[in-house]
Amino acid sequence: MNPKKLMTLDEFTIQETRKFPQATGELSALLRDIGLACKLINKQVLKAGLVDILGKHGATNVQGEEQMKLDVYADETLINILRNSNDCAGVASEENDDFICFGDEYSVNSKYVVLFDPLDGSSNIDVNAPIGTIFSIYRRVSPLGSPCTKEDFLQPGNKLMAAGYVIYGSSTMMVYATKLSVNGFTLEPSIGEFCLSHPNMKCPEKGKIYSINQGNTCKYNDGIKGFLDYCMESNKEEGRPYSHRYIGSMVADMHRTLIKGGIFLYPADKSNANGKLRLQYECNPMAFLVEAAGGVASTGTENVLDVMPAELHQRVPIFIGSKNLVNKALEYVNAKETVA
Ligand code: AHM
Ligand code: MG
C-alpha cells in the first residue's frame, strides 16, 4: 500500500466538498455514515456461511445474543447509524412499509433524507454470490426545523444529490455518484477504510453483454422477445451473438454493467405489470449513477429519473446501461408494443 497514492473515502469527499465554498460537509458526513454501516454489514456478510455454527435467525448464540437475519441486521444497522449521526432528517427502507422520521432536535435541522435497500439480492446469500446495499440521498423539500415528511422521500431521481451502492463480493466496494462524477472505493480490510480504486468511472458507450432473467421469456411481450432474439443472433456489429450474464443480484449485475458495459433489464411481464424492481430503492439510484457515468436508463416509455413517484414502494420496468444496447432494446419495445 503506497501511502502517497492512498485516498480514503473521507479524504475524497472532503476534497470534493472544497470545490463548493457554500457546502457544509453534511453530504460527506452522510457518505461516511453509510460507509460505516456498510462495513458493519460486510462483517456479518462474511460470517454468513457460518450460520450453522453461529446459529440461525432467531437462535441465541453463546454470548446470549439473538442471531438476526442478515437483511434485518442490515436494515437496523443503517437506521441506527443514520439516527445517531444527526446528519439525516429521516430514512426510508425497502424493508419497511413507511419512512422513519428521526424528529429529534438535531435531525429536524438536517438537510438530507436517505433511502436504501439494505441488502439487495438477499436470496443469493445462501449460494455465496455477491449481494449489496443501495442508497440514495435527497435534499429535503420540507422546511428545516420541522420533522421530515413523505414528500421528502417521493422526489424524482433527477433531484438526487448522491446515490450509490456497496457490493459485498470478492472484495467489498462502495461506488457512489454525484452529478459531477462516479467513483469507486475498495475496502482495504487491514485498515478498515474504503480507498479510492476506481476514479471517474465511465459506463462504456458500447456494451456486448445483456443481463435479464431469460427464464421469464414466455411472460414477456413481443418487443422484449424481439430484442432477446436480436441479442442471440449473430449481429453485424459483433459478427456473433451478445453474451448473456445474469447473477440475479441487481448490485452485482449493475456493477458489471457499469465496468464492462452492456444492458441490464427487468421489464414488465404477464405477472408483473410494472416489473419487479422498486423505483425509489433500486431503479433511481442505479439510473442516477449510470447516467452520471455516461450511460442511460429508461422505463421503456420515459427516462427513469423523470418518473414522479406516487408511493414509496412503487415498481417500474427498467432498461439500463450502455447507450448502444439500451437504445436498441427501446427500438424493439417501442416498435412492437403489445400487451404482455
Ligand atoms: P430483493 O430486493 O428482494 O433482493 O429483490 C431484488 C432482486 C434484484 O437484486 C435482482 O435484480 C432481482 O431481484 C432478481 O429477480 P429474479 O429472481 O426475478 O430474476
Ligand atoms: Mg432489492
Side-chain angles (χ1 to χ4, degrees):
M1 206 187 321
N2 181 347
K4 277 194 195 151
K5 287 193 182 157
L6 192 82
M7 162 101 62
T8 67
L9 174 66
D10 244 15
E11 289 170 333
F12 180 85
T13 54
I14 290 166
Q15 264 191 26
E16 290 291 288
T17 306
R18 291 207 182 106
K19 292 181 187 162
F20 302 93
Q22 72 283 15
T24 56
E26 277 174 81
L27 194 61
S28 316
L30 266 182
L31 288 161
R32 185 187 56 225
D33 298 334
I34 294 169
L36 172 62
C38 291
K39 283 191 261 185
L40 290 166
I41 297 167
N42 181 57
K43 206 172 148 227
Q44 293 303 313
V45 169
L46 292 175
K47 286 202 293 196
L50 294 171
V51 75
D52 284 333
I53 299 167
L54 299 178
K56 291 198 189 300
H57 171 49
T60 306
N61 69 11
V62 282
Q63 283 90 30
E65 300 157 335
E66 192 180 311
Q67 296 296 308
M68 236 184 249
K69 254 180 98 180
L70 260 186
D71 39 14
V72 178
Y73 175 84
D75 189 44
E76 292 192 359
T77 301
L78 277 154
I79 294 170
N80 290 336
I81 288 196
L82 289 167
R83 188 194 292 279
N84 291 341
S85 75
N86 298 328
D87 301 315
C88 174
V91 296
S93 161
E94 202 200 83
E95 286 285 319
N96 304 313
D97 291 341
D98 211 350
F99 70 97
I100 300 170
C101 174
F102 294 147
D104 58 83
E105 55 177 318
Y106 303 108
S107 302
V108 292
N109 287 310
S110 304
K111 281 197 293 220
Y112 298 109
V113 294
V114 179
L115 291 84
F116 47 82
D117 180 352
L119 211 58
D120 181 64
S122 47
S123 61
N124 270 323
I125 296 169
D126 291 345
V127 295
N128 224 344
I131 48 180
T133 296
I134 311 174
F135 61 89
S136 308
I137 303 175
Y138 286 99
R139 191 191 286 268
R140 53 192 287 207
V141 287
S142 57
L144 283 184
S146 61
C148 59
T149 64
K150 200 167 203 164
E151 284 60 49
D152 298 324
F153 298 92
L154 289 180
Q155 299 188 59
N158 55 32
K159 298 276 187 221
L160 277 165
M161 299 300 294
Y165 58 81
V166 172
I167 180 166
Y168 311 105
S170 44
S171 57
T172 299
M173 268 190 83
M174 177 191 274
V175 177
Y176 87 88
T178 60
K179 284 210 168 85
L180 295 181
S181 61
V182 182
N183 294 280
F185 303 81
T186 302
L187 183 64
E188 163 46 271
S190 64
I191 56 168
E193 292 277 2
F194 285 106
C195 299
L196 184 64
S197 53
H198 294 61
N200 202 15
M201 295 171 84
K202 297 286 175 208
C203 179
E205 263 191 44
K206 289 186 181 164
K208 302 177 183 178
I209 300 171
Y210 68 106
S211 186
I212 182 172
N213 186 340
Q214 209 153 347
N216 288 334
T217 302
C218 62
K219 297 195 269 175
Y220 295 142
N221 67 24
D222 290 347
I224 304 292
K225 285 181 184 163
F227 175 63
L228 294 183
D229 286 343
Y230 162 80
C231 289
M232 291 186 284
E233 283 158 10
S234 182
N235 59 73
K236 65 175 185 305
E237 291 83 6
E238 296 301 316
R240 48 161 286 185
Y242 289 111
S243 296
H244 178 250
R245 301 275 182 273
Y246 190 68
I247 298 168
S249 176
M250 189 192 198
V251 172
D253 282 314
M254 284 308 306
H255 190 59
R256 183 199 55 247
T257 304
L258 179 66
I259 291 176
K260 294 201 165 175
I263 181 174
F264 170 84
L265 59 162
Y266 208 111
D269 63 38
K270 274 185 194 155
S271 339
N272 306 296
N274 295 311
K276 174 181 181 187
L277 300 177
R278 318 271 179 157
L279 175 63
Q280 290 306 73
Y281 303 108
E282 292 160 327
C283 299
N284 263 334
M286 290 300 185
F288 179 81
L289 195 143
V290 161
E291 282 208 5
V296 281
S298 169
T299 63
T301 51
E302 66 181 312
N303 189 328
V304 171
L305 297 178
D306 292 337
V307 178
M308 193 60 213
E311 45 156 332
L312 282 174
H313 292 271
Q314 182 171 339
R315 297 171 200 266
V316 286
I318 188 164
F319 302 77
I320 182 169
S322 300
K323 283 182 184 155
N324 70 326
L325 282 179
V326 174
N327 291 338
K328 182 60 83 177
L330 296 180
E331 264 174 42
Y332 276 92
V333 169
N334 294 327
K336 299 192 181 173
E337 192 62 59
T338 50
V339 179

